[in-house]
């Protein structure tokens, strides 16, 4: 299907790129000096000169990346066989890749990896490390950092974690939960949550984690969609010093007719009841409703079971988990991931992208309720015998130094967080960061939204002391693991670019108008040309919707829903969701670019840009702007911001409305919900759509009241 036109151009980092926001040349941030390379992606290429029989421990040079990348594209069976050998299988797969991406083919879209392999994910995350090297037993698997920094911290070794997982797996079995059953997990961010996921994986039950901040309605919707037979929860959670009820929300959810499939509710005591209780928490625990025959305290059940529990041998294509996407774009979709391919991919991407070395302390701030928590708090790190930090709290409690204090306290080497957290923390005085040491840091990472260059630079210079590389990782719930990401110090970075594709990932831009492939440099809909092992296999019990959403928009390709620009040097710049692009007087304008320009202004903390219908220009540009602490709103500032945008991007870009908004509607994972902003400015406020995944629904009403388009 390919020709030499698929090759990327030569890229030469001596010809420096220009940052569109500052018009200053971007200095590639890398010790690599003069850097020139060709990334050959043609399928006919014979550049696959990898002659070793296994994968290297880390990727050190761009040449090494190139030859392995070429191999991963030209001979995926060979590459992914080597990747699978990093895991321990009961039966090593002989069939590696068996996939069909074309919705028009007679087979239809079907994705299978390692289909005759037999494996257990929990065994690969725990048992095998100790069996291979008894020293692993006493190595720390999880460092738990509680909401209140003064609470006792605890370190859980691999041996301790394995023991607890086995016991809890036996509790699940005692309640009749077996291979193939779906279990909903609704927990705070604590060690017991990790135990619950691993125990499900051990016995072959399919977990469906619902973030602990969701309302009882949202939980009910997710329970009924996947028909789970059991719920694992906690009496309550503690975040930012506040007690958040969990069990009582499950009680409410289970009164609903569509949740009648649930037969058992297993309730953990927060932190096993070890830590002292605040008053509001004690009240919460004392007022719990209890349904005999359905509700069980986990600590009581644990006393009734054996210590030993053999892992269940699973087929590589047996489901591992269902996870509902965060809902930035509409009704939550039950993304289905399977066993062998998912773990192979989560494990390899973790190892290479963070260049993880034994003994390093790694922290990802995501909640286990999101895919980032699944792949990069739990499965990726533990399958690599890493030490992973589980943080119960929030970045602003007790104050905005919290992350940086945790880094010092646990001597964290690798720190991975989201642009939304970075933007909110950079709105405060730098002294909150600089009063901490952060000397232990080696590498920083981000995920979740495009990171505007301004936030990138602050993260790099202030947080990382200009010493640490940053991996800006683009990926999705649907992709299971990193797709476009730097590998540390293997090629130069450009602030705001996720740079180049991971092994096995063939990005392809397609024109939104003609649906034809576009050759870089270009900007279009970001699609992927062929399958990779970590990819979602389907939507749970709804393969038709899976094909409609991801494979029908651009037949033959996986469609990510995001827009992307690929520059001359092959670097990828995510422009935001395709639906968010504005068309103004014939110009396509990416909202991410305008937002970046606004955030460059020293008074602006955050910005969200959407379009509204305009007879003359097709669309008008509406900018929601959150100012930094102690900055007053004024018309002069409005004018300044308009000028900033025009200066940075071009005179054709004219913000029509600047709306100062102290708060923006966000998903519970912290992403701005532009879908709702669009409805506000259209205005079409009677059809806001699903708002159940909003973090704080009252924000919407405030915006409607203040908007010049609805007043
Ligand atoms: P839903 O699919 O339900 O609307 P969602 O897309 O927010 O929710 P996720 O799968 O958690 O759910 O997020 C993936 C999306 O996040 C990507 O499609 C992209 O828009 C954005 N994203 C993630 N990482 C990056 C990144 N490094 N740079 C730019 N955008 C990113
Ligand atoms: Mg999405």
């Amino acid at each position: 299907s390919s020709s030499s036109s698929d090759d990327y151009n030569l890229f030469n980092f001596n010809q420096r790129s220009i940052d569109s926001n500052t018009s200053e040349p971007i200095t590639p941030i890398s010790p690599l000096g003069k850097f020139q390379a060709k990334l050959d992606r043609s399928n006919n290429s014979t550049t696959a000169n990898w002659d070793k029989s296994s994968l290297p421990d880390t990727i050190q040079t761009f040449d090494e990346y190139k030859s392995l990348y070429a191999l991963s594209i030209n001979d995926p069976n060979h590459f992914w066989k080597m990747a699978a050998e990093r895991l321990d299988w009961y039966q090593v797969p002989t069939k590696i890749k068996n996939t069909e991406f074309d919705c028009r083919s007679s087979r239809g879209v079907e994705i299978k990896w390692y289909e005759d392999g037999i494996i257990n994910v929990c065994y690969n995350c725990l048992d095998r490390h100790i069996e291979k090297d008894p020293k692993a037993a006493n190595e720390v698997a999880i460092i738990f950092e509680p909401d209140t920094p003064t609470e006792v911290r605890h370190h859980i070794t691999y041996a301790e974690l394995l023991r607890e997982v086995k016991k809890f797996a036996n509790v699940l079995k005692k309640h009749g939960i077996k291979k193939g059953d779906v279990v909903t997990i609704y927990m705070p961010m604590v060690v017991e949550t990790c135990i619950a996921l691993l125990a499900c994986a051990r016995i072959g039950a399919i977990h469906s984690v619902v973030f602990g901040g969701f309302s009882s309605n949202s939980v009910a919707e997710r329970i009924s969609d996947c028909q789970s037979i059991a719920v694992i929860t906690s009496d309550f959670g503690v975040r930012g010093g506040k007690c958040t009820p969990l069990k009582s929300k499950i009680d409410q959810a289970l009164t609903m007719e569509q949740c009648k499939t649930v037969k058992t509710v297993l309730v953990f005591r927060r932190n096993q009841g070890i830590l002292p209780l605040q008053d509001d928490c004690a009240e919460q625990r004392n007022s719990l409703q209890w349904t005999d025959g359905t509700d069980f305290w986990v600590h009581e059940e644990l006393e009734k079971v054996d210590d030993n529990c053999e892992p269940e041998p699973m087929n590589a294509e047996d489901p591992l988990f269902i996870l509902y996407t965060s809902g930035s774009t509409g009704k939550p979709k039950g993304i289905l991931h399977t066993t062998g391919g998912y773990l192979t991919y989560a494990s390899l991407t973790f190892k290479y992208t963070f260049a993880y070395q034994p003994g390093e302390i790694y922290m990802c701030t995501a909640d286990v309720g999101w895919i980032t928590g699944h792949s990069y708090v739990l499965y990726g790190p533990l399958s690599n015998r890493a030490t992973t930090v589980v943080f119960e709290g929030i970045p602003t409690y007790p104050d905005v130094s919290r992350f940086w204090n945790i880094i010092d306290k646990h001597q964290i080497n690798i720190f991975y967080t989201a642009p939304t957290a970075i933007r909110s923390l950079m709105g405060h005085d730098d002294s909150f960061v600089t009063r901490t040491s952060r000397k232990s840091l080696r590498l920083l990472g981000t995920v979740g939204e495009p990171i505007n260059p301004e936030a990138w630079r602050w993260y790099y210079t202030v947080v990382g002391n200009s010493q640490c590389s940053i991996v800006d990782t683009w990926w999705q719930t649907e992709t299971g693991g990193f797709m476009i990401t730097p590998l540390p110090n293997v090629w130069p970075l450009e602030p705001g670019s996720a740079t180049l594709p991971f092994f096995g990932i063939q990005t392809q831009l397609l024109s939104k108008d003609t649906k034809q492939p576009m050759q870089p440099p270009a900007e279009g809909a970001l699609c992927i040309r062929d399958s990779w092992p970590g990819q979602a296999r389907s939507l749970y019990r709804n393969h038709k919707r899976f094909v409609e959403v991801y494979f029908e928009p651009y037949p033959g390709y996986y469609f990510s829903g995001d827009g992307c620009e690929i520059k001359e040097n092959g670097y990828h710049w995510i422009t935001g969701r395709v639906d968010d692009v504005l068309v103004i007087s014939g110009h396509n304008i990416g909202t991410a670019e305008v937002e970046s320009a606004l955030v460059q202004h020293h008074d602006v903390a955050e910005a969200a840009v959407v379009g509204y219908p305009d007879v003359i220009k097709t669309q008008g540009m509406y900018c929601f702007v959150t100012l930094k602490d102690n900055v007053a709103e004024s018309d002069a500032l409005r004018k300044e911001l308009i000028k900033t945008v025009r200066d940075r991007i071009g005179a054709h870009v004219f913000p029509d409305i600047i709306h100062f908004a102290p708060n923006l509607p966000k998903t519970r994972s912290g992403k701005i919900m532009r879908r709702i902003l669009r409805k506000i400015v259209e205005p079409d406020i009677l059809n806001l759509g699903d708002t159940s995944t909003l973090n704080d629904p009252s924000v919407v009403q405030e915006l409607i009241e203040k908007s010049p388009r609805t007043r």
Side-chain angles (χ1 to χ4, degrees):
S1 69
S2 68
S3 67
S4 59
S5 60
D6 288 328
D7 296 355
Y8 279 172
N9 293 327
L10 278 178
F11 46 68
N12 179 351
F13 289 92
N14 277 347
Q15 289 167 359
R16 298 205 280 174
S17 320
I18 301 293
D19 183 331
S20 57
N21 289 323
T22 58
S23 316
E24 284 162 14
I26 296 171
T27 314
I29 294 172
S30 160
L32 296 177
K34 191 173 179 212
F35 188 83
Q36 191 172 35
K38 185 177 178 179
L39 183 56
D40 186 352
R41 314 193 322 153
S42 92
N43 286 337
N44 311 325
S45 155
T46 52
T47 55
N49 55 2
W50 190 259
D51 53 2
K52 305 187 185 76
S53 61
S54 64
L55 290 177
D57 185 61
T58 48
I59 306 301
Q60 311 264 1
T61 66
F62 192 67
D63 281 342
E64 199 174 13
Y65 165 77
K66 270 190 305 173
S67 50
L68 268 176
Y69 181 80
L71 173 72
S72 72
I73 304 308
N74 298 328
D75 191 356
N77 287 313
H78 183 189
F79 181 90
W80 291 111
K81 181 172 182 294
M82 292 191 294
E85 283 162 4
R86 299 180 70 253
L87 302 178
D88 282 280
W89 300 75
Y90 297 106
Q91 186 180 307
V92 176
T94 60
K95 296 182 190 157
I96 308 297
K97 179 176 188 282
N98 178 4
T99 64
E100 175 57 65
F101 255 32
D102 197 334
C103 57
R104 299 157 304 189
S105 69
S106 56
R107 181 178 172 194
V109 173
E110 190 179 29
I111 298 143
K112 288 182 180 173
W113 285 87
Y114 309 122
E115 59 189 293
D116 63 347
I118 313 264
I119 191 167
N120 183 280
V121 166
C122 179
Y123 175 82
N124 274 276
C125 288
L126 301 176
D127 312 54
R128 68 159 176 159
H129 303 315
I130 300 173
E131 284 173 18
K132 284 193 175 154
D133 179 2
K135 285 207 297 294
N138 295 322
E139 287 172 6
V140 177
I142 297 177
I143 297 177
F144 177 64
E145 172 67 21
D147 184 59
T148 305
T150 50
E151 279 184 327
V152 192
R153 84 176 181 209
H154 67 143
H155 287 69
I156 294 99
T157 64
Y158 271 94
E160 286 164 345
L161 186 59
L162 175 58
R163 187 163 59 238
E164 296 196 31
V165 166
K166 282 180 178 172
K167 288 208 79 166
F168 186 62
N170 281 335
V171 171
L172 297 177
K173 281 185 174 173
K174 174 172 175 279
H175 285 274
I177 298 160
K178 53 183 191 318
K179 180 173 173 172
D181 289 339
V182 182
V183 176
T184 293
I185 298 180
Y186 183 64
M187 292 282 288
M189 189 57 188
V190 292
V191 177
E192 290 70 23
T193 312
C194 303
I195 293 173
L197 272 80
L198 289 164
C200 287
R202 194 168 187 86
I203 67 168
I206 306 165
H207 57 72
S208 165
V209 182
V210 178
F211 173 58
F214 277 121
S215 67
S216 48
N217 276 321
S218 303
V219 185
E221 189 188 6
R222 287 160 175 76
I223 287 175
S224 79
D225 186 79
C226 66
Q227 302 275 289
S228 48
I229 64 157
V231 174
I232 302 170
T233 188
S234 176
D235 40 9
F236 55 83
V238 184
R239 280 186 99 214
K242 292 196 199 80
C243 183
T244 56
L246 291 166
K247 162 74 167 74
S248 60
K249 289 203 194 154
I250 293 293
D251 292 342
Q252 262 177 300
L254 296 190
T255 58
M256 299 178 202
E257 191 50 43
Q258 72 266 34
C259 295
K260 287 291 177 265
T261 48
V262 174
K263 299 287 178 280
T264 311
V265 180
L266 295 167
V267 189
F268 278 100
R269 277 188 307 188
R270 179 208 171 223
N271 293 328
Q272 307 173 323
I274 297 169
L275 300 176
L277 284 183
Q278 296 156 228
D279 290 351
D280 53 343
C281 296
E283 215 178 286
Q284 182 65 35
R285 186 172 280 161
N286 292 335
S287 63
L288 282 185
Q289 305 272 318
W290 212 255
T291 312
D292 288 330
T294 305
D295 296 347
F296 297 89
W297 282 112
V298 173
H299 63 277
E300 289 174 3
E301 296 305 287
L302 285 170
E303 285 170 15
K304 302 175 195 160
V305 295
D306 286 350
D307 288 341
N308 199 35
C309 171
E310 288 302 316
E312 184 78 33
M314 304 293 288
N315 182 274
E317 282 300 342
D318 283 336
L320 177 64
F321 65 86
I322 300 162
L323 185 60
Y324 291 87
T325 52
S326 61
S328 327
T329 49
K331 185 176 151 34
K333 301 175 281 265
I335 307 292
L336 179 74
H337 281 284
T338 58
T339 302
Y342 169 78
L343 190 66
T344 302
Y345 198 72
S347 187
L348 188 73
T349 48
F350 175 83
K351 175 69 184 167
Y352 280 172
T353 302
F354 296 120
Y356 184 83
Q357 293 306 306
E360 286 191 310
I361 314 283
Y362 161 85
M363 173 169 178
C364 165
T365 66
D367 193 280
V368 173
W370 314 121
I371 188 69
T372 310
H374 283 56
S375 300
Y376 301 114
V377 172
L378 198 62
Y379 292 124
L382 294 185
S383 63
N384 281 290
R385 195 175 155 181
T387 299
T388 181
V389 175
V390 168
F391 175 40
E392 186 180 32
I394 56 173
T396 50
Y397 177 83
D399 63 32
V400 293
S401 282
R402 186 64 193 274
F403 278 171
W404 329 124
N405 284 329
I406 295 176
I407 289 171
D408 286 352
K409 179 173 173 184
H410 299 300
Q411 291 294 295
I412 286 160
N413 308 110
I414 306 164
F415 181 78
Y416 185 42
T417 193
T420 178
I422 297 167
R423 284 193 301 263
S424 82
L425 296 174
M426 72 187 272
H428 303 273
D429 200 277
D430 284 357
S431 64
F432 285 104
V433 187
T434 53
R435 71 189 187 197
T436 63
S437 155
R438 292 156 286 106
K439 280 252 158 48
S440 58
L441 285 176
R442 172 176 67 77
L443 183 65
L444 299 169
T446 82
V447 59
E449 288 176 287
I451 180 163
N452 42 296
E454 189 69 7
W456 195 102
R457 286 199 189 85
W458 184 82
Y459 198 34
Y460 181 79
T461 53
V462 180
V463 176
N465 249 327
S466 306
Q467 302 289 309
C468 306
S469 207
I470 296 182
V471 287
D472 174 358
T473 59
W474 177 83
W475 62 297
Q476 311 179 290
T477 309
E478 296 86 343
T479 70
F482 304 145
M483 299 291 280
I484 305 175
T485 174
L487 301 179
N489 302 324
V490 178
W491 54 80
L493 303 177
E494 289 178 12
S497 170
T499 72
L500 300 173
F502 192 77
F503 300 117
I505 306 306
Q506 299 182 68
T507 54
Q508 176 70 60
L509 299 183
L510 283 113
S511 158
K512 282 165 265 177
D513 309 320
T514 66
K515 307 264 161 173
Q516 290 306 306
M518 304 164 84
Q519 296 318 318
E523 182 179 347
L526 177 57
C527 297
I528 312 291
R529 249 198 274 171
D530 199 358
S531 183
W532 64 99
Q535 158 170 46
R537 302 301 191 253
S538 195
L539 295 181
Y540 192 61
R541 294 193 176 143
N542 199 346
H543 197 63
K544 188 168 167 285
R545 187 169 173 218
F546 181 68
V547 175
E548 275 167 18
V549 173
Y550 303 107
F551 292 92
E552 282 177 6
Y554 297 90
Y557 299 91
Y558 166 83
F559 172 49
S560 69
D562 287 350
C564 180
E565 181 180 358
I566 302 181
K567 300 218 170 144
E568 287 82 4
N569 63 3
Y571 278 23
H572 293 61
W573 296 74
I574 306 295
T575 53
R577 323 247 170 188
V578 166
D579 301 343
D580 292 340
V581 171
L582 307 184
V583 181
I584 297 180
S585 308
H587 299 286
N588 278 348
I589 298 169
T591 51
E593 206 181 356
V594 182
E595 288 160 9
S596 273
L598 287 165
V599 175
Q600 284 224 325
H601 191 282
H602 46 81
D603 288 341
V604 174
E606 193 153 43
V609 174
V610 290
Y612 60 84
D614 181 283
V615 273
I616 297 163
K617 303 197 291 183
T618 326
Q619 275 186 310
M621 187 187 295
Y622 193 121
C623 308
F624 292 89
V625 172
T626 306
L627 297 173
K628 285 190 184 160
D629 285 357
N630 310 320
V631 175
E633 304 177 2
S634 70
D635 279 337
L637 182 54
R638 261 196 197 92
K639 287 197 186 111
E640 237 179 85
L641 293 177
I642 293 171
K643 185 170 174 329
T644 304
V645 171
R646 302 190 76 184
D647 288 351
R648 298 267 152 91
I649 306 179
H652 63 291
V653 184
F654 190 91
D656 296 277
I657 300 173
I658 303 247
H659 174 154
F660 292 119
N663 298 297
L664 295 170
K666 292 191 176 171
T667 65
R668 283 160 211 269
S669 55
K671 296 184 196 187
I672 299 167
M673 272 174 130
R674 291 186 184 70
R675 162 172 73 80
I676 290 183
L677 294 176
R678 271 198 298 272
K679 289 288 179 187
I680 294 175
V681 307
E682 211 167 297
D684 184 14
I685 52 176
L686 295 178
N687 294 301
L688 290 177
D690 183 2
T691 54
S692 66
T693 60
L694 271 176
N695 189 31
D696 176 5
S698 69
V699 168
V700 176
Q701 203 47 45
E702 279 168 30
L703 295 178
I704 291 173
E705 279 162 22
K706 215 178 142 188
S707 169
R709 305 244 335 136
T710 44
R711 260 192 325 227

